[in-house]
Amino acid sequence: EVQLVESGGGLVQPGGSLRLSCAASGFIFSSYWMTWVRQAPGKGLEWVANIKQAGGEKYYVDSVKGRFTISRDNAKNSLYLQMNSLRADDTAVYYCARDRKYYDRSGSHQDGLDYWGQGTLVTVSS
Amino acid sequence: DIQMTQSPSSVSASVGDRVTITCRASQGINSWLTWYQQKPGKAPKLLIYTASSLQSGVPSRFSGSGSGTVFTLTISSLQPEDFATYYCQQADSFPYTFGQGTKLEIK
């Protein structure tokens, strides 16, 4: 059974840092892209970042570029999101998800985010 | 960035009704469109990928269509468990972006 379990959320002051973790099990973690998606309270979904299987490609939404870093440790079946210079508008539930992104001769494609964790709440407030 | 706009933002319907939700992209995204369902307090669930492919385990009353800039999600006969919020997401180019969501409520 595929499982994704996020941890590391909590209350942090503006300007502070937090590191989220996502522990994966039930599938070959190193074979999949992985993604972080967040959802502010009462709001919609926002794609945050994703990372290729070996970590060689990473992409971010503009609002977190230079502040957040996505990484992974395939030996530990774990995904991470290092969040620095946190702002009030970073307050959200953060989900990790398995990403069915792939490349073929015609380019880069994605067949959706098929498994999600339960989410971890990050609150940025003084 | 590609903007995704869903309509309507909310819809009221009854069990057994047929419901269609539309998602429009600000530029062409071929068929790289995904639909998710989210219930309160839960993670999203993948329903449809590449515009019209049904995810394994999803009931056949859900269907998707479209290409280019206009896409639809149709629920052919609403069931009580379908009342939720639905999101589209483009996967044509980074950053991947979601629509604002459509809340499907019981009439």
Side-chain angles (χ1 to χ4, degrees):
Chain A
E1 178 193 7
V2 172
Q3 282 198 322
L4 297 169
V5 180
E6 302 94 337
S7 60
L11 176 63
V12 60
Q13 292 189 337
S17 297
L18 215 52
R19 189 195 196 205
L20 305 184
S21 299
C22 172
S25 61
F27 66 102
I28 302 173
F29 181 72
S30 59
S31 295
Y32 288 86
W33 286 72
M34 294 295 295
T35 289
W36 288 100
V37 173
R38 66 183 178 183
Q39 186 168 35
K43 303 297 184 182
L45 302 171
E46 181 180 34
W47 182 90
V48 174
N50 72 352
I51 185 168
K52 196 175 181 180
Q53 288 93 333
E57 288 184 42
K58 305 175 185 181
Y59 299 91
Y60 299 91
V61 68
D62 283 351
S63 60
V64 309
K65 279 181 185 175
R67 300 189 301 122
F68 289 13
T69 301
I70 189 171
S71 63
R72 64 192 296 163
D73 185 335
N74 288 341
K76 294 183 178 180
N77 290 339
S78 293
L79 174 72
Y80 305 102
L81 187 67
Q82 177 66 44
M83 304 186 295
N84 299 330
S85 303
L86 282 161
R87 312 186 303 222
D89 62 359
D90 294 317
T91 294
V93 173
Y94 285 74
Y95 296 101
C96 67
R98 191 174 82 168
D99 190 333
R100 296 195 315 200
K101 180 174 170 59
Y102 64 96
Y103 287 99
D104 63 17
R105 287 185 297 176
S106 62
S108 160
H109 314 297
Q110 194 221 40
D111 285 348
L113 305 172
D114 61 348
Y115 288 94
W116 297 62
Q118 83 289 350
T120 187
L121 176 62
V122 172
T123 303
V124 184
S125 175
S126 54
Chain B
D1 298 0
I2 297 175
Q3 306 302 313
M4 306 301 293
T5 304
Q6 292 180 230
S7 60
S9 295
S10 65
V11 58
S12 295
S14 301
V15 173
D17 284 354
R18 179 184 180 92
V19 170
T20 297
I21 298 168
T22 300
C23 179
R24 287 182 169 81
S26 60
Q27 63 189 69
I29 59 170
N30 297 297
S31 295
W32 303 115
L33 192 284
T34 308
W35 290 99
Y36 300 91
Q37 175 195 68
Q38 188 181 33
K39 296 182 179 179
K42 300 294 187 182
K45 173 186 175 183
L46 174 62
L47 298 177
I48 302 282
Y49 60 95
T50 56
S52 60
S53 298
L54 192 68
Q55 170 67 3
S56 175
V58 174
S60 59
R61 62 181 179 272
F62 290 91
S63 63
S65 65
S67 67
T69 61
V70 182
F71 302 85
T72 59
L73 172 70
T74 299
I75 310 172
S76 60
S77 178
L78 277 172
Q79 298 302 301
E81 61 268 30
D82 300 338
F83 292 95
T85 300
Y86 293 84
Y87 294 92
C88 62
Q89 175 232 315
Q90 65 84 13
D92 181 75
S93 62
F94 290 117
Y96 292 165
T97 42
F98 288 90
Q100 82 279 14
T102 295
K103 188 173 184 180
L104 177 53
E105 299 175 301
I106 301 174
K107 184 181 287 184

